[in-house]
Amino acid sequence: MSQSDEKNTSSNNEIRYVNLYESEAKIYTRKVKGFYQRLRRYTGIPLLLGFLLMPWLVIDGRPAMLFDLSERKFHILLVTFWPQDFMLLAWTLIIAAFALFTVTVTVGRVWCGFTCPQTVWTLMFIWVEDLCEGDRNKRIKLDKQPWSAEKLVRKGGKHSLWFLIAFVTGATFIGYFYPIRDLLAGFIPTISLDGIVWDTPAAAIFWTFLFTAFTYLNAGWLREQVCKYMCPYARFQAVMYDKDTLYVQYDAARGEKRGPRKPKDDYKAQGLGDCVDCSWCVQVCPVDIDIRDGAQYECINCGLCVDACDAIMDKMNYPKGLIRFTSEDELETGKTQFLRPRLFGYFAIVLVMMSLLSYTIYTRSPLGVDVLRDRSARMYRIQGKEVHNVYTININNMDRQTHTYRIELEGDLPYSLKKYHAVPISEGEVFTLPIRIAAPRAAIKKEKHDLIIRIIAEDNPALVATESTVFMAPKAR
Amino acid sequence: MSTFWSLWVIVLTLACIALCTWVLFANKKVAKRDDADAENNTTGHVYDGIEEYDNPLPKWWFQLFVGTIIFTAIYLVLYPGLGNWKGILGWTSTGELAAAQEKAREQYVDSYDAYSKMSVEELSQNPEAMKMGVRLFANNCAVCHGADGGGNYGFPNLTDNDWLHGGTPDHIKASIVNGRNANMPAWGPTIGEEGVAAVTEYVLSLSGLEHDATLVPAGKEVFGTICTTCHGADAKGSIAMGAPNLTDDVWLFDSNRETIAGTVRNGRVNRMPAQKDLLRDDKIHLLTAYVYSLSH
């Protein structure tokens, strides 16, 4: 806010007051068609369809993908993961992060430009904006217009469509955590004399609307500001670039000096480069930067300016690629040293971690066993010629079917197991089984003996868990 | 909290909020000199040759900050936070705990109610009820009786169908609800060391354990005059007194000579605590059934 009207005074100590908090300028992007837009569309649509349809998929009468937070179980395709498998989730996320680093080293921030939900939804919302309000110039004009019936219809239509997309997104997302059929069926309240009743828990409805609201705000209003101010990846991606990373760059050597010309002109004679200074690359940019200023941290490598510039170059009958995915090395020396130690290192790390994770998941046993020695007044019980120790065995059946387990003992002494009730343990149940193990006093030589308790499924001998513990006894006198 | 400290907290809290608000709004505008270098818009901070821009904050950032202040004000009205102010929602952490416990109880109330209507014999055959029983027993009884109910030195074995105070469902329930007290007097002063030694040998002989046969007749005589009152003429014990059966080789304490002699000489005081104030009736009913199931 300028307090003085005279901007161009040369009075040296005039003081102005500037607002510390500024609204961001609204970005109006021009629509553009081209190779990278087609690429994004054909890779994005299957992924979007997958995201939308996955919660509806049912295998063997259970949701194919359900993160059941209240039960603390993650059902992913044919496997159910328990809280104790949390390490696997952690490793999956670490691998995902390293895969992202690998991609960044290779081709820069293409995750941001092509697959990040923030960008994908933003571009979807911009497409809706274009549908309702027209292209860039029309939108700028519409915003400047006073309110009219037409403006109301166009703006209203845009926001309604935005909300619709946002709601579908929110409901789908919550559908991964709460069975989506129940979620949507319970959304329509039954109104009776007892009042209004929703079948879906209030929490599920709340989260659905929260995600709807955030989708609408993020893709409709915040857009590139998420990438510029909030996203942590955006903050540190630049340090992973090296001189052979492929990212969107303007070929200044070819483009400068920029300037307008007629197609028939011999522009080289005028001392001009290939850039016609049409500013299309700026107009299509979703983060509102001028790529011709060189690499900037806001750039998300989406390729919109590449398509825009290529279209202009086509019109002018110049070769394409004035703005293209290229590396510093290529711009300087004309060649990219694509295979380089850094890339091999990243690939190797990702491959090793992926194989380890696959191996761990493949060999994961759906049977968890904990053995606790009884901590009571005495360490052991002497009964006539025998010494007894008591153990509590927690059998956690993580398989998707009911099993009956038997117990086998192994160790230093001729152990015997006292009577216990073997009961079938249904899927997902944690069963507590107290057992009493006896050993003849005559065999005892020391105070602490090794004992191995093996829990074996009766119907599947491969399903086995082995726990080692100790057996306490009085030293023979 | 006394009134002084309550005021102290209130003043400090409100002063901090006011200060934050003031800082936020007071710095809304900064003075810029016209002759400042428009190109060099930095704070003047330099770290390793990296300079810091002095760009304005985004407006939404400022609005978020204002939002947090408004949230704070609403929160402090609704919830306790300002000294002794209780908040108009009346929320307390103890209330939250009570609500959570009530919720947990409601989760199981259906099964407990169903189980409470069943007889102990019926319940002991119900695998689902017994799974609950295992956990109840582990939480409330296993410390003394062992995780499997097999007992311990001085704590009865609940799995062997040998009962000190009776093994019918009613007996078991009475033991849990009201607890049990069993006292054996110290006989050492009365019968002297020879008496103690003789009775010990006789008691050993009753269970067919290794004993000195020469002392048995004397021991039997002492036993007949003193011990039969509680343990019975046949030494088979009495559930009314809680006196153990001495003929079945089941021992609450050890079966060696020193331990038995010690019991005769010094007596024993054994007590099971009453659970009626600690456990709800439906839980006691389920535990009764579980204990019953251990020996049936």
Side-chain angles (χ1 to χ4, degrees):
Chain A
M1 292 284 138
S2 168
Q3 296 244 324
S4 79
D5 296 333
E6 296 166 293
K7 286 267 168 38
N8 49 0
T9 53
S10 54
S11 64
N12 280 346
N13 43 13
E14 183 83 27
I15 289 183
R16 295 184 295 126
Y17 285 93
V18 194
N19 209 328
L20 252 189
Y21 312 108
E22 262 183 19
S23 281
E24 292 276 325
K26 190 170 169 186
I27 298 172
Y28 296 92
T29 56
R30 184 187 277 283
K31 201 157 74 172
V32 65
K33 288 195 176 74
F35 170 75
Y36 289 107
Q37 306 328 300
R38 282 199 299 279
L39 182 69
R40 182 184 298 113
R41 199 156 292 164
Y42 298 141
T43 52
I45 286 174
L47 287 172
L48 264 179
L49 280 177
F51 167 74
L52 286 170
L53 297 177
M54 185 58 104
W56 296 92
L57 187 62
V58 170
I59 301 177
D60 298 347
R62 57 179 109 219
M65 181 110 41
L66 181 67
F67 304 105
D68 196 336
L69 295 179
S70 57
E71 283 283 323
R72 296 194 213 113
K73 282 172 199 160
F74 287 2
H75 306 285
I76 299 173
L77 300 176
L78 298 169
V79 191
T80 299
F81 291 97
W82 283 57
Q84 40 281 55
D85 299 317
F86 197 82
M87 279 307 288
L88 297 177
L89 176 69
W91 279 110
T92 309
L93 294 175
I94 291 169
I95 290 171
F98 267 86
L100 183 64
F101 302 161
T102 312
V103 168
T104 309
V105 168
T106 322
V107 282
R109 280 176 80 176
V110 291
W111 164 264
C112 301
F114 288 80
T115 31
C116 177
Q118 179 66 31
T119 307
V120 171
W121 260 259
T122 297
L123 292 173
M124 218 189 306
F125 273 44
I126 290 179
W127 178 80
V128 169
E129 207 163 42
D130 195 89
L131 191 79
C132 298
E133 299 180 4
D135 200 8
R136 182 169 186 267
N137 298 337
K138 283 189 183 155
R139 289 209 297 271
I140 295 174
K141 231 167 56 199
L142 188 74
D143 277 5
K144 286 207 175 100
Q145 270 175 26
W147 282 99
S148 63
E150 189 214 16
K151 182 167 176 176
L152 196 68
V153 169
R154 286 184 180 281
K155 287 267 173 196
K158 177 180 85 170
H159 287 285
S160 319
L161 268 178
W162 277 5
F163 261 116
L164 185 72
I165 295 175
F167 179 74
V168 170
T169 309
T172 304
F173 188 79
I174 300 304
Y176 282 87
F177 298 88
Y178 188 90
I180 195 160
R181 288 174 177 78
D182 307 350
L183 179 78
L184 293 179
F187 245 92
I188 301 147
T190 31
I191 302 168
S192 64
L193 291 173
D194 308 335
I196 304 171
V197 182
W198 276 272
D199 289 343
T200 308
I205 291 181
F206 167 79
W207 283 107
T208 307
F209 280 120
L210 192 81
F211 274 88
T212 302
F214 272 93
T215 307
Y216 170 81
L217 282 175
N218 265 338
W221 296 91
L222 278 173
R223 292 188 179 172
E224 78 290 341
Q225 301 197 40
V226 174
C227 315
K228 278 159 72 172
Y229 300 112
M230 304 181 198
C231 177
Y233 169 62
R235 297 265 148 215
F236 65 76
Q237 44 82 26
V239 301
M240 291 179 226
Y241 281 41
D242 60 15
K243 63 184 188 358
D244 293 303
T245 303
L246 299 175
Y247 60 99
V248 174
Q249 288 185 87
Y250 165 70
D251 193 339
R254 197 188 124 187
E256 297 300 318
K257 168 175 180 246
R258 57 185 91 154
R261 77 288 310 269
K262 297 204 166 61
K264 292 183 288 289
D265 286 358
D266 181 7
Y267 62 96
K268 295 223 159 98
Q270 297 173 12
L272 292 172
D274 281 358
C275 175
V276 299
D277 208 9
C278 65
S279 82
W280 266 47
C281 55
V282 182
Q283 293 178 27
V284 299
C285 180
V287 295
D288 208 23
I289 54 171
D290 188 342
I291 192 68
R292 293 170 301 176
D293 295 345
Q296 287 146 80
Y297 90 96
E298 293 96 335
C299 175
I300 57 172
N301 262 10
C302 64
L304 279 155
C305 53
V306 179
D307 286 336
C309 188
D310 281 351
I312 297 292
M313 291 293 115
D314 260 6
K315 273 196 190 126
M316 303 293 296
N317 279 325
Y318 298 167
K320 288 183 182 185
L322 175 59
I323 300 176
R324 63 182 185 273
F325 277 85
T326 181
S327 66
E328 273 176 62
D329 218 12
E330 193 182 341
L331 290 180
E332 279 167 23
T333 66
K335 234 174 107 54
T336 300
Q337 168 94 39
F338 187 73
L339 299 172
R340 51 199 193 271
R342 179 191 288 233
L343 199 60
F344 279 119
Y346 272 119
F347 265 107
I349 291 171
V350 171
L351 272 179
V352 166
M353 287 202 296
M354 272 184 165
S355 354
L356 279 175
L357 182 77
S358 316
Y359 175 77
T360 314
I361 291 177
Y362 181 73
T363 56
R364 175 179 163 270
S365 165
L367 166 64
V369 170
D370 276 325
V371 173
L372 301 165
R373 259 190 100 261
D374 229 18
R375 293 174 180 79
S376 58
R378 297 269 169 129
M379 285 188 290
Y380 46 79
R381 180 94 208 260
I382 297 173
Q383 290 278 48
K385 293 189 166 51
E386 287 181 334
V387 178
H388 293 180
N389 276 216
V390 177
Y391 301 84
T392 303
I393 302 186
N394 283 321
I395 303 177
N396 181 352
N397 180 6
M398 297 187 275
D399 209 6
R400 291 192 157 186
Q401 49 193 339
T402 304
H403 291 289
T404 306
Y405 297 94
R406 71 168 186 275
I407 300 175
E408 287 183 0
L409 306 174
E410 196 184 301
D412 296 349
L413 297 169
Y415 296 117
S416 60
L417 189 61
K418 293 288 168 195
K419 169 183 85 119
Y420 70 97
H421 300 286
V423 293
I425 302 174
S426 48
E427 72 157 292
E429 189 185 353
V430 183
F431 185 68
T432 311
L433 178 70
I435 57 165
R436 177 168 288 247
I437 294 173
R441 282 184 79 174
I444 287 163
K445 301 278 183 295
K446 50 187 182 177
E447 284 182 344
K448 206 165 107 177
H449 301 77
D450 287 336
L451 166 66
I452 292 170
I453 298 178
R454 206 169 278 123
I455 313 289
I456 304 161
E458 293 279 14
D459 54 343
N460 177 7
L463 193 54
V464 64
T466 308
E467 282 288 314
S468 49
T469 177
V470 292
F471 184 94
M472 306 293 277
K475 243 198 299 219
R477 284 183 216 152
Chain B
M1 232 183 321
S2 69
T3 318
F4 169 76
W5 286 117
S6 174
L7 281 171
W8 175 267
V9 171
I10 291 170
V11 168
L12 262 182
T13 311
L14 295 180
C16 281
I17 295 169
L19 188 74
C20 287
T21 316
W22 177 79
V23 166
L24 192 62
F25 284 91
N27 290 300
K28 208 174 158 171
K29 290 188 167 34
V30 286
K32 269 240 163 77
R33 292 171 61 105
D34 258 359
D35 58 352
D37 181 0
E39 283 302 301
N40 182 18
N41 184 18
T42 64
T43 56
H45 302 163
V46 182
Y47 309 93
D48 295 345
I50 299 169
E51 290 174 83
E52 188 183 0
Y53 265 128
D54 191 12
N55 283 334
L57 275 176
K59 187 145 221 163
W60 54 261
W61 194 302
F62 170 74
Q63 285 159 346
L64 272 184
F65 210 145
V66 174
T68 56
I69 293 171
I70 294 168
F71 174 88
T72 308
I74 296 172
Y75 179 91
L76 288 174
V77 171
L78 294 181
Y79 289 94
L82 286 176
N84 286 332
W85 168 250
K86 293 278 177 284
I88 56 180
L89 288 187
W91 179 93
T92 58
S93 51
T94 38
E96 186 159 327
L97 175 69
Q101 284 174 330
E102 182 55 31
K103 200 175 159 194
R105 205 185 67 78
E106 272 171 16
Q107 215 179 337
Y108 295 109
V109 78
D110 295 345
S111 42
Y112 272 126
D113 281 351
Y115 295 155
S116 296
K117 292 189 183 77
M118 293 161 84
S119 76
V120 167
E121 288 88 346
E122 220 182 329
L123 264 187
S124 68
Q125 298 304 318
N126 178 330
E128 285 311 306
M130 289 305 96
K131 280 177 185 175
M132 276 169 98
V134 170
R135 296 201 180 92
L136 273 179
F137 192 88
N139 287 337
N140 298 293
C141 324
V143 172
C144 302
H145 291 282
D148 65 338
N152 224 317
Y153 181 85
F155 300 99
N157 182 346
L158 306 175
T159 64
D160 59 359
N161 227 341
D162 174 72
W163 299 94
L164 291 168
H165 298 276
T168 67
D170 289 345
H171 281 135
I172 298 172
K173 192 172 248 182
S175 299
I176 300 173
V177 172
N178 301 316
R180 292 286 184 187
N181 282 303
N183 286 336
M184 166 160 165
W187 294 108
T190 316
I191 57 178
E193 272 311 302
E194 291 92 10
V196 170
V199 168
T200 302
E201 294 308 316
Y202 176 67
V203 170
L204 283 168
S205 76
L206 286 173
S207 295
L209 296 167
E210 200 185 307
H211 59 278
D212 181 349
T214 56
L215 287 172
V216 168
K220 187 173 182 175
E221 195 177 320
V222 175
F223 192 91
T225 53
I226 292 171
C227 314
T228 47
T229 320
C230 300
H231 290 278
D234 53 2
K236 288 231 190 306
S238 139
I239 59 168
M241 307 292 295
N245 179 346
L246 302 175
T247 65
D248 57 1
D249 200 19
V250 174
W251 299 92
L252 186 55
F253 300 92
D254 280 351
S255 60
N256 58 48
R257 189 169 276 108
E258 298 81 16
T259 309
I260 296 172
T263 306
V264 174
R265 189 182 305 116
N266 303 320
R268 289 282 178 192
V269 176
N270 246 26
R271 184 173 152 270
M272 151 125 184
Q275 304 295 314
K276 61 169 179 279
D277 299 333
L278 305 172
L279 292 172
R280 297 198 314 265
D281 289 352
D282 47 11
K283 284 192 178 178
I284 289 181
H285 186 70
L286 191 54
L287 272 173
T288 306
Y290 177 72
V291 171
Y292 184 84
S293 79
L294 289 176
S295 52
H296 290 83

